[in-house]
Each structure stands twice: as structure tokens, then as C-alpha cells.
Amino acid sequence: MFRTALRNVLAHKARLLMTVLAVMLGVAFVSGTLVFTNTISDAYQKSSAKGFGHVDVAVTAEGREDTGDTIGRTPELTQALLDDAAKVPGAASATGVVSGFTAIADKDGKLIGGGFQSQGGNYWGDKDPRYPLKSGAAPHGKDEVAIDSETARRAGYQVGDSLRLSVDGPVLTPKITGIFTTDDGNVAAGGSLALFDTATAQQLFGKTGTYDEIDVTAKAGVTQAALKAELDKALPKDVVETTTGKQLADDQAEMIASSMSGLKQGLLVFAGIALFVGTFIIANTFTMLVAQRTKELALLRAVGASRKQVTRSVLIEAFVVGAVAAVTGLIAGVGIGAGLRSLMGALDATVPAGPLVISPGTIGAALAVGILVTMLAAWLPGRRAAKIPPVAAMSSVHAQATVKSLVLRNTIGALFSAAGVAVILAATTMGGSDGQAPMGMGAVLLIIGVFILTPLLSRPLIAAAAPVLRIFGVSGKLARQNSVRNPRRTAATASALMIGLTLITGMTVMAGSLQQSIDKMASSALSADYVVSMANGNTLSPDVDRKLKATDGVTATSPLRNAPSRIDGETEYLTGVTGGTIGELTDLKVDDGTFKVGGTDVVVDDDTAASHGWKAGSTFTASFEDGKKRQLTVAGVYEGNEMIRGIMLDNATLTPHVADPTDMQVMVKTSDGPSGATKDRLEEALGSNPAIKVQDKKDISNEIAQMFTLMLNMLYGLLAMAVIVAVLGVINTLAMSVFERSQEIGMLRAIGLDRKGIKRMVRLESLVISLFGGVLGIGLGVFFGWAAGELLASTMATYELVLPWTRMAVFLLLAATVGVLAALWPARRAARLNMLSAIKSE
């Protein structure tokens, strides 16, 4: 039986190649995902470990919790603490660390790095061991700076050049005195690092005389644990916290692994989809292979082979196919992993250097997935074939699906579909995250239910295409009849394409709806022409608001100034605004009272009001950052959204209680409205600062939507894998269908159907099957997009369903294109059959 199985594998090389490709793509996706994520994770972990190579123990400030009406404050790491740390037994040196956001402009004035990756810090003394100098010297004074070598390379800077940079104030133009190398993860990820001398860094980052961290190195022979113990004894426990360098590296590695796990899981989901689609194709392939060898298997039964042996021979064949596919898929996966890493470099999302990581787990997963999926898909066809009585099989009386089995299949499919729809509809009534798990479960149930029902659905849907197919005469009529001749096979082939298009359509519907809701949110919440903010989301200096007020054409401004407070024993953030102008800069719907901000009158969003039981006229006591209290009155309750929410009060009331006032953003109204010239004027007023963004409503909407667009484009690329597998499935099905119908095709040729007619028949059959899968996929995708949108609508008031008709038409055209392309080889093969040989074939 083993020799028979091997002979069958090698006897049908074309079918073997098709099946191997279907499995290989899924395996390649899984192994490529594991190689890519393991490589990136390993590179970052090693880089972070190097970054802590000069730290034996790190001393940081111990945060204090909010209690009662008191707001907890983080203690400061002073020079005295630094001196005490340097004197403890076992300490070789202590370095004070200062850091903060620093935006560096390139030679065209554009921000280098991605905002959050743009950092600044202090260079300790003349030779900082953390940052070995590649060229030049250490910076001294406010007019000197050192930058990392990667930033210098990307922007073309050299020692002696002047550059433009900003921390949170005016643009500075220091001279580059040194270029250094670093293992900093932000720089490795494409960011930038600028270093000043310690006094300048403290002044620029608002930390005069204090540090963010104190790094202590141990003397030779002193362990990190021993040094930590000495520091714990010498330094006040209620002020500082100590952590060994090893623990910092371990924590960083764990954080990197955790952040990579989300990417890994997302990629593996799509690998699973490709495998799921591939499973249908493999099952379909083995069903047809077994059907074509019914007489052969019956003969084996007649000469003494048992049912188990017949099933086993099919499984051996599947094992060989799966093993070949797993090995080739693993090799292709390594290539995919390397390609994805190179692609990140091409997109300027650079990562630390390091080798490709091909772990034993990756090899095991590739082999297990390839072999197990193939054998699982082949088990049912093999078992079904073994049950056919030998006499019936040799007499060509094949065991057709009984009415009872079809009724049972349709009943199970209907139950699964009904359960899926019911669970999804129930999930749409739940709020936010509570409905995510039920909706996912409902989606799986519905897809399984529709898959089971596809043989039943194929007849009426394909029959709907009959009027169009009549245009093609006999070829069209034969194509329709062939499509519904074996509904199970048609269903399995169409389902592969259906799943890919379901996901693509569903995500497109959600992305389009989200884009419109974001546009609507921006236009409904803001009356301001522009919003000014920091590129990295940090706070702005109050000077920004003052400069904007003095700019020609500006009619109104209001900074949004956040500050913590204690209300009813809980920490609540207050938003300070300019009471006299906030009304004309926002367009918020007031549900209760009036939109009045000034003195002790405040306005509150509906969620905050509901949580405290407030309404218009309610009063409450707020404890400010400086410990002072004040009674405030709710003048109105407004509908909050993702852009504007919280408790708004006048800055004149809030600012006296804030030690270091800073603004999250500034809203601006101009006399001329938004225009390119107005935007340029505002940017010039702020010194063309690379750290500051000036955005109109469209810019804000596009920035938010950009994340969804990037994600959607990535998902399109990933789902293309499932579509490619589906194309292979259609080719496989048609090729085997042509083989099965050789005698029939020969008879058609003999009675007058020419080669063009045969080709047309096969192509139309392929087109009908592909469009059937496309219609099902788009229909399910729209339903899933609507359901997911209902879940989002519970947290996003401006959400509304938008159907992307143009893109759906493109998807349907894609399904048709798949059908046409998939039929090229099978149609050519059918047309080239020798009619006399075909008629004589059994």
C-alpha cells in the first residue's frame, strides 16, 4: 500500500504541484511571520541589552499616589542625591541623566524622525561612555550640540554644520561639535537623538538642578545586586527606587516581546486564513483525486485491501504532499521574513542589525502545519472512498450523495448560519469591547454555516446568470450545467474566494465609514480654522498662544491647558480654556444649560456629568495641584467626542493653581479662513518650528485616518495571499474537471463543437464559479462591516455606515478576473484533447 501511494503521488505531477503550492503558501506565510517577528524582536532585545551595558543600577524617582484631596507628586532627583549615590561603597561612578523631546529639522526644514522618536538628552562631561564619539568633540554651552551618526547620515550633517532644532520653545540653531554612535532603540527605529551639555539640557527641558535618572556603575568585583543593596541603604526609600541594569534589560526585552506579540498574532491570523482557504482546496483536490481512482481503489479492495488500508494509502499520499509542501514553504518563509525586514528598511522603518532568527519552534510549526493540515483535509475523502462497495465502484455505480445527506447538510448549515446571525445581532446591542468576543464568535459560526450551505445556494445564484450565459449559445448553456453538476465541488471552490473577499469587503466598509465619521467629528466639534500642537503630542509653551494672538489675521485663540485635580476623592483632569473665545472656536451640542465658561462657571461633557450625577446648576469642589480648593458650578452639559471632552473652565481660574502651565494645543480662528497663505503665516509666526504642527480640520481628519489607511493597505497585501490560494483552487478544480470530462469533451468535439467553443465553455464555467464566490463574499463582508460599525457607533457618536460601491465593483471585477485567469490553462488543455482518444477513455 505504501508503494501504491507513492506511485499515485508521482503519477500525477501537475496535480501534485497544484496541491503542494496551495499548502506551501500557507506554510510560507506562517513560517515567514515567525521568522520576521523573531528576528525583529531578537534585534531589539540585543540592542536594548547593549543600551544598558553602562548601567549597573538605575536610580529613579518614586511616584506618590493621590490620596483624599491631595494630588500625588513625583519627587525630584537632585544634585545632592547624585553626590550621595556616587559615594556609596562599591560605586565607581554616578551619571545624571536628563532627557526630553527634541525636534531636529533636516536641511529642508522638515522634522527628522517620527515625532515620538525625536529625543534629546545630556552628554556627561567630555567623554560620555554611553555615547562614543565618532568624530568631533563633546558639546559645551547652549550654542553647541552633538547628534547621532544615523541622523547625521540621513540628513547629510557634518561636524561644524549648524542645524535647526526645538525643544518646546523657540527654534535654536546650535553648531554640531560631535557625532556619536548609540544603541538607542529609538534611533534604531528611525528617530533622532540630540545631546547638550548637562546644564544646557537641564535648562532646555525645564529640569534645572535635577535629573530624570541617576545611572550608577559598580567597581570591579562588585555585583549589581550588592551595589543595589548599598544604594538602598544610603538613599531615602520614600524618594527613590533602584533597579539593576540586568532587570532593566529584562524588563525592556519583555516589553519588546509583548509589543511584538500583537504584530505576530495579527500576521498569524492572516496566515491562518490562507491555510483555512488552502484546506478547502486540499480537501477538494483529494476528493476529486479519490473520485477519479474509484475503480482503482475498488480493485484494491477486491484483491484483499481493507477499508483502513485504502484510507491509509490516501493519508500516506497526503503525508508525502504535506511534507514536500512544508519543507518548500519553510524555505519560502525564510525568504519572506528576510524580504519583510528589507521592506522595513526601504520604508525608512529601520531596525537594529542582527541575523535572521530561524528557531526550532519555527521549523516545528512549519512541518506540523503543512503535514497536519494536508492529512486532515485528505482524511474525509479517503474515508468516504473506502466505504464504496467494490462491486458498485467497478461497475461505475459511484456512491452519490443521498437526499438524506443533503438534507442533513442543509439543516446543519442553516442552524450554524442562524446561530451566527443571532449572536452577531446580539453583539451589536452590547457596548464597545463587551461585544467584540461575541461578534467574533458569531462571524465564525456564520462563515461556517454559509460554507456548509454553499451547495444549496449555488443552484439559484448560478441560475440567475442563465440569461447572460445564453448569449454565448451552446458554450454558455454547457458552462451553467457544468457549474451546478457537482454543487459540493463548486461550493468548495467558490468558498476559498468567498472568505478572502468577505474579509477585504468588511474591512473596506469599516475603513470608509470610519473616515466619514472622523471627517464629521472634526467638522462638527470644531469651528476653529486651525489647531496647533506638538509633533509628538507633548505640551506647548504658553508663548505659542501669545505669538498666535499677535499674528495678523488671527481673530480668536484659545489654548487647551490640562491640569489634575481631586473631585469627590478621585483624580479628574481639568481643561483650561479662554472663556471669552471658546464658544466661537468649538461647535458642541449642549444637552443641558448653556455653554458658558468664566469665573467659577464650567461646562462638562455628558459622560463625566453622568458619572458624577451632575446637571446644569450642580456645584462641586475641586482641589487643585497646589492644594487649594474652589467650588465650581456646572453651567452646561455638552455632548463630548473623541476630540473634545472633559471639564472646561477658564484659564484665569485654573492657571494660578498650576506650577508649570503648558498647553496641549491651541485653537485658532482667522479672518480669512483656512488657506495655504494663512497656514504659512501662522508657521512663520512660530519661527517655522519643526516641532510644531499647524493643522486645519482636513489635516486632523487625514492624520487620524492615515493609521486606518496604512493598516488597511497592509491587510490588503496579507489577504492577497488568500486570494492567490483561491486562484490555485479554481485552476485545480477546472483542471481535474477537464480530466474527468475527457470523454464528454471528446463527444462534444465529435458532434461539432469547435476548439473555441470548448475554451469558451471552460472559461465561462470558471467565471460563473468565481463570481458566485465573489457575490457571497461581498454580501457577507457588507454584513460584517455593518455589524462591526454598530459596535463602534456605541462609542463614536458620529459613526454612520458608508458602502464603498466603487470598491465593491472592483472586488467583483477582481473575482471575475480570477475566474478568467484561472481558466487559461485548463481551457487550453481541454481544447487540445484528441477527440478520438478522449471518446475511448474511461
Side-chain angles (χ1 to χ4, degrees):
M1 296 303 293
F2 181 73
R3 285 198 301 271
T4 302
L6 287 180
R7 182 182 62 78
N8 285 326
V9 170
L10 298 174
H12 308 288
K13 295 181 179 62
R15 292 202 294 264
L16 170 65
L17 179 62
M18 289 290 197
T19 312
V20 166
L21 279 173
V23 186
M24 187 199 74
L25 282 173
V27 174
F29 208 169
V30 170
S31 54
T33 294
L34 293 174
V35 168
F36 172 66
T37 52
N38 288 341
T39 297
I40 300 300
S41 181
D42 181 72
Y44 273 115
Q45 286 175 15
K46 287 180 178 176
S47 176
S48 67
K50 290 179 186 175
F52 295 115
H54 300 288
V55 182
D56 287 315
V57 179
V59 180
T60 53
E62 176 71 48
R64 295 174 183 171
E65 295 182 0
D66 299 340
T67 55
D69 291 333
T70 305
I71 298 172
R73 296 178 186 171
T74 302
E76 294 179 334
L77 299 179
T78 61
Q79 183 64 39
L81 281 172
L82 175 65
D83 295 338
D84 291 342
K87 293 174 184 175
V88 300
S93 64
T95 302
V97 178
V98 184
S99 61
F101 172 67
T102 302
I104 301 177
D106 61 21
K107 292 186 176 181
D108 295 325
K110 303 297 183 183
L111 176 67
I112 296 174
F116 288 99
Q117 287 81 34
S118 303
Q119 294 294 314
N122 66 310
Y123 193 93
W124 191 256
D126 292 322
K127 193 173 182 181
D128 192 328
R130 299 172 300 168
Y131 307 111
L133 285 169
K134 188 176 179 181
S135 60
H140 292 285
K142 63 180 182 179
D143 295 326
E144 295 184 356
V145 68
I147 63 172
D148 69 272
S149 55
E150 278 301 301
T151 298
R153 180 186 63 80
R154 288 197 300 268
Y157 284 128
Q158 296 178 347
V159 172
D161 290 347
S162 292
L163 54 70
R164 293 168 56 81
L165 61 80
S166 173
V167 179
D168 65 351
V171 174
L172 305 176
T173 55
K175 185 174 74 172
I176 300 172
T177 62
I179 294 174
F180 58 87
T181 59
T182 177
D183 293 316
D184 188 286
N186 284 323
V187 173
S192 61
L193 180 61
L195 300 179
F196 311 89
D197 67 50
T198 299
T200 302
Q202 288 175 324
Q203 181 185 357
L204 288 174
F205 300 129
K207 299 164 186 174
T208 304
T210 64
Y211 303 95
D212 295 304
E213 182 176 304
I214 297 171
D215 292 341
V216 186
T217 57
K219 291 180 179 177
V222 179
T223 65
Q224 291 185 352
L227 179 59
K228 181 181 184 301
E230 291 294 338
L231 286 165
D232 287 340
K233 284 191 284 185
L235 303 178
K237 292 182 180 179
D238 60 338
V239 174
V240 301
E241 180 180 2
T242 59
T243 310
T244 63
K246 183 180 183 305
Q247 185 62 51
L248 286 172
D250 290 345
D251 291 345
Q252 182 83 348
E254 186 178 340
M255 183 183 73
I256 290 168
S258 175
S259 64
M260 292 302 295
S261 70
L263 175 63
K264 184 184 291 187
Q265 288 171 9
L267 291 172
L268 285 174
V269 165
F270 291 97
I273 291 167
L275 279 173
F276 189 53
V277 173
T279 303
F280 292 148
I281 296 166
I282 300 161
N284 206 18
T285 301
F286 275 94
T287 299
M288 288 184 283
L289 285 172
V290 170
Q292 290 168 10
R293 287 167 26 213
T294 303
K295 286 188 179 182
E296 177 188 324
L297 295 174
L299 184 60
L300 289 173
R301 290 286 312 284
V303 297
S306 66
R307 286 184 178 182
K308 286 184 178 179
Q309 284 179 309
V310 171
T311 304
R312 197 179 303 133
S313 73
V314 176
L315 289 178
I316 290 170
E317 187 175 342
F319 175 82
V320 174
V321 170
V324 172
V327 172
T328 53
L330 175 61
I331 295 169
V334 173
I336 289 173
L340 286 173
R341 178 170 174 169
S342 299
L343 180 63
M344 289 187 72
L347 297 174
D348 290 332
T350 53
V351 295
L356 280 177
V357 178
I358 307 168
S359 67
T362 300
I363 297 171
L367 294 175
V369 165
I371 294 170
L372 289 178
V373 166
T374 309
M375 292 184 70
L376 182 67
W379 175 75
L380 190 60
R383 185 169 173 270
R384 190 184 299 130
K387 286 184 175 181
I388 300 174
V391 176
M394 286 190 289
S395 303
S396 298
V397 183
H398 297 180
Q400 297 295 326
T402 62
V403 174
K404 181 180 177 182
S405 71
L406 289 173
V407 170
L408 179 63
R409 176 174 180 144
N410 293 338
T411 303
I412 293 172
L415 289 173
F416 267 92
S417 299
V421 170
V423 172
I424 288 172
L425 292 178
T428 59
T429 63
M430 301 178 184
S433 58
D434 293 339
Q436 290 177 6
M439 185 164 290
M441 183 178 70
V444 171
L445 288 173
L446 181 55
I447 286 178
I448 292 172
V450 171
F451 171 67
I452 296 172
L453 284 175
T454 39
L456 178 67
L457 297 171
S458 65
R459 289 186 178 275
L461 286 177
I462 291 175
V468 179
L469 292 174
R470 285 197 193 102
I471 299 171
F472 299 96
V474 174
S475 297
K477 184 178 180 181
L478 289 171
R480 184 183 65 80
Q481 291 174 347
N482 290 334
S483 301
V484 296
R485 176 185 295 183
N486 190 335
R488 290 174 186 261
R489 182 193 300 168
T490 297
T493 307
S495 294
L497 193 58
M498 176 193 79
I499 292 170
L501 286 179
T502 295
L503 294 165
I504 291 174
T505 305
M507 288 184 296
T508 303
V509 168
M510 281 193 62
S513 302
L514 277 169
Q515 175 68 70
Q516 179 145 323
S517 66
I518 292 165
D519 289 343
K520 189 175 178 182
M521 186 193 305
S523 60
S524 63
L526 294 174
S527 293
D529 294 322
Y530 292 97
V531 174
V532 179
S533 60
M534 288 288 279
N536 68 334
N538 279 1
T539 56
L540 290 163
S541 165
D543 285 338
V544 171
D545 180 48
R546 287 192 282 270
K547 287 180 180 179
L548 290 169
K549 274 182 183 174
T551 304
D552 290 341
V554 173
T555 58
T557 68
S558 175
L560 270 62
R561 185 167 296 167
N562 279 12
S565 69
R566 297 287 287 175
I567 299 172
D568 297 336
E570 297 179 1
T571 299
E572 197 82 61
Y573 275 83
L574 305 173
T575 302
V577 297
T578 302
T581 60
I582 190 63
E584 60 180 298
L585 294 166
T586 57
D587 187 16
L588 299 166
K589 183 181 178 183
V590 179
D591 294 331
D592 184 21
T594 58
F595 197 87
K596 178 187 175 186
V597 180
T600 58
D601 288 331
V602 301
V603 292
V604 185
D605 72 282
D606 45 4
D607 289 339
T608 304
S611 67
H612 289 280
W614 295 337
K615 58 183 180 179
S618 298
T619 59
F620 61 92
T621 301
S623 297
F624 296 106
E625 191 178 356
D626 60 357
K628 295 181 180 178
K629 300 179 182 180
R630 190 152 187 184
Q631 190 176 64
L632 303 174
T633 303
V634 178
V637 178
Y638 66 90
E639 288 186 8
N641 56 52
E642 283 70 17
M643 296 189 69
I644 300 177
R645 62 173 69 243
I647 303 171
M648 290 189 203
L649 75 162
D650 200 327
N651 273 322
T653 304
L654 176 65
T655 304
H657 303 287
V658 179
D660 183 22
T662 55
D663 302 325
M664 292 304 297
Q665 59 187 38
V666 179
M667 292 186 283
V668 182
K669 189 83 170 175
T670 62
S671 56
D672 300 332
S675 67
T678 303
K679 186 175 182 178
D680 290 342
R681 192 161 62 245
L682 294 177
E683 289 177 343
E684 286 173 12
L686 299 172
S688 299
N689 195 320
I692 298 177
K693 296 186 295 186
V694 179
Q695 296 175 297
D696 60 19
K697 295 177 190 178
K698 193 63 180 174
D699 293 332
I700 295 169
S701 176
N702 289 341
E703 184 178 55
I704 299 171
Q706 190 175 13
M707 295 182 290
F708 300 109
T709 304
L710 178 63
M711 190 179 302
L712 188 66
N713 289 336
M714 285 180 62
L715 296 180
Y716 280 161
L718 295 172
L719 285 172
M721 186 73 74
V723 174
I724 291 170
V725 176
V727 171
L728 288 174
V730 178
I731 296 172
N732 222 358
T733 300
L734 289 172
M736 293 190 178
S737 178
V738 167
F739 180 84
E740 279 184 354
R741 304 201 310 262
S742 294
Q743 191 175 43
E744 175 189 317
I745 291 169
M747 190 65 71
L748 289 170
R749 289 289 316 283
I751 62 175
L753 191 62
D754 60 11
R755 288 186 175 182
K756 285 185 179 179
I758 294 291
K759 283 184 179 180
R760 191 180 301 120
M761 176 187 74
V762 176
R763 287 170 184 165
L764 289 173
E765 181 182 347
S766 175
L767 186 63
V768 166
I769 292 173
S770 297
L771 286 175
F772 168 54
V775 168
L776 280 181
I778 291 171
L780 278 175
V782 169
F783 177 69
F784 289 146
W786 166 81
E790 288 297 300
L791 208 59
L792 277 173
S794 62
T795 56
M796 186 179 284
T798 56
Y799 184 88
E800 62 180 60
L801 181 68
V802 176
L803 294 180
W805 295 106
T806 304
R807 288 205 176 188
M808 288 194 293
V810 170
F811 296 155
L812 200 58
L813 184 62
L814 172 66
T817 305
V818 165
V820 172
L821 293 176
L824 291 177
W825 178 60
R828 187 167 175 266
R829 183 182 177 189
R832 293 178 66 182
L833 282 174
N834 183 291
M835 69 177 74
L836 294 178
S837 300
I839 291 170
K840 289 190 294 182
S841 67
E842 295 186 4

